[in-house]
């Protein structure tokens, strides 16, 4: 199991390293908090990555258009002022790197985890939420005066025991 402080430390380190090495930017950690059924931003971009194994969950990166354009600009060496495929791809890739680095640390506490392909949503007046009432750890950052939030929700995989039991049953029948 990972407690909130461990999640925050792993996300902080992963975000610092990713922004520094991949973008040449620094981030400042805000005050982490917990939320239930944490919503996404009402305007902007959210990149969502699923985690699966003995523990399951979701991690997301949420930011406004200016921050997304800044990420893409730093990553691609160009200037962007509006959302296009390159900006969406850059945000998706940065989210994947941050969550991938987090996954490596989390596996020391939770066992082997897999990652989904990132999904990016962009628009005005939208809300993204998970179907359950699980607790989310929300880690806000500032980068050059712009806001960015990383959110993580992890819960034990209650269905894993049924899947493993079924796999054993199938293996016994095949013998």
């Amino acid at each position: 199991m990972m407690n909130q402080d461990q999640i925050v430390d792993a996300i902080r380190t992963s975000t610092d390293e990713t922004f520094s090495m991949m973008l040449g930017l620094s981030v400042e950690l805000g005050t982490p908090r917990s939320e239930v059924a944490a919503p996404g931003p009402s305007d902007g971009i959210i990149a969502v990555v699923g985690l699966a194994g003995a523990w399951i969950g979701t991690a997301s990166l949420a930011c406004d258009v200016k921050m997304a354009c800044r990420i893409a600009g730093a990553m691609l060496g160009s200037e962007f002022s509006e959302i296009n495929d390159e900006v969406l791809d850059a945000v998706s890739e940065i989210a994947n790197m941050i969550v991938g680095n987090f996954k490596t640390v989390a596996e020391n506490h939770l066992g082997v985890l897999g990652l989904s392909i990132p999904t990016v949503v962009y628009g005005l007046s939208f809300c993204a939420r998970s179907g359950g009432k699980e607790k989310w750890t929300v880690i806000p950052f500032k980068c050059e005066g712009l806001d960015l939030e990383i959110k993580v929700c992890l819960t034990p995989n209650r269905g894993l025991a049924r899947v493993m039991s079924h796999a054993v049953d199938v293996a016994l029948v095949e013998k």
Side-chain angles (χ1 to χ4, degrees), residues 5 33 43 45 62 66 69 87 98 102 115 120:
D5 290 338
R33 64 186 185 278
D43 297 314
I45 295 177
K66 284 184 180 182
C69 288
V87 173
I98 291 169
F102 167 76
L115 292 181
V120 180

Side-chain angles (χ1 to χ4, degrees), residues 2-19:
M2 284 183 86
N3 65 37
Q4 183 168 327
D5 290 338
Q6 291 168 318
I7 292 170
V8 169
D9 286 344
I11 288 293
R12 180 192 47 76
T13 300
S14 179
T15 304
D16 282 342
E17 290 174 358
T18 301
F19 268 67

